[in-house]
Amino acid sequence: MQTPESAITLTDNAASKIKELLAGQENASDQALRVAVRGGGCSGFQYALAFDKKRDDDNVFEHNGVAVIVDKVSMQFVFGSEVDFVDGLQGAGFAVNNPNVVAACGCGSSFQVKEDAAEAASV
């Protein structure tokens, strides 16, 4: 499956932080940032970000020298997203800026996408 490079991007801050985190790992050359979506939370879906090895059916993107992998199921939910690293008063961490999100829970840990909103409205 050929997917446009813009399917998921990293900000400069995110790429720098990922490089920094990978630098301390023995098998860094085999690792990439996996961006996945899992069911759960009060709004339906949650992001799962972790360092992982590429699997045969993954989509792979490279931005600022960092590899990002997304499985086929998650791709439909994160297409067009940008991963950022933020360091503010409420703490530091990775944030996914996703144009497909139509609703999020109050604590910001889960979200709902356009397709789910349409299905929920038809019930």
Side-chain angles (χ1 to χ4, degrees):
M1 175 178 158
Q2 293 296 323
T3 310
E5 282 300 305
S6 62
I8 192 158
T9 58
L10 297 174
T11 64
D12 291 343
N13 283 346
S16 294
K17 188 63 175 180
I18 291 165
K19 288 177 186 176
E20 177 186 322
L21 292 170
L22 283 174
Q25 296 191 6
E26 289 180 18
N27 55 351
S29 61
D30 293 338
Q31 300 290 304
L33 177 69
R34 178 174 296 280
V35 178
V37 173
R38 306 282 183 250
C42 46
S43 290
F45 293 103
Q46 295 177 311
Y47 297 109
L49 285 86
F51 294 119
D52 198 4
K53 291 183 179 182
K54 181 195 175 306
R55 298 180 192 135
D56 289 339
D57 61 344
D58 286 335
N59 294 292
V60 181
F61 309 97
E62 189 163 326
H63 291 280
N64 300 324
V66 175
V68 179
I69 49 180
V70 183
D71 64 86
K72 288 184 178 183
V73 173
S74 296
M75 181 56 73
Q76 64 186 325
F77 300 110
V78 300
F79 192 89
S81 295
E82 176 187 68
V83 178
D84 192 10
F85 183 79
V86 293
D87 190 359
L89 294 174
Q90 296 178 338
F94 290 98
V96 179
N97 301 315
N98 188 339
N100 304 304
V101 171
V102 294
C105 67
C107 63
S109 67
S110 65
F111 64 95
Q112 185 176 41
V113 293
K114 293 174 187 168
E115 292 84 356
D116 291 334
E119 287 177 18
S122 66
V123 173

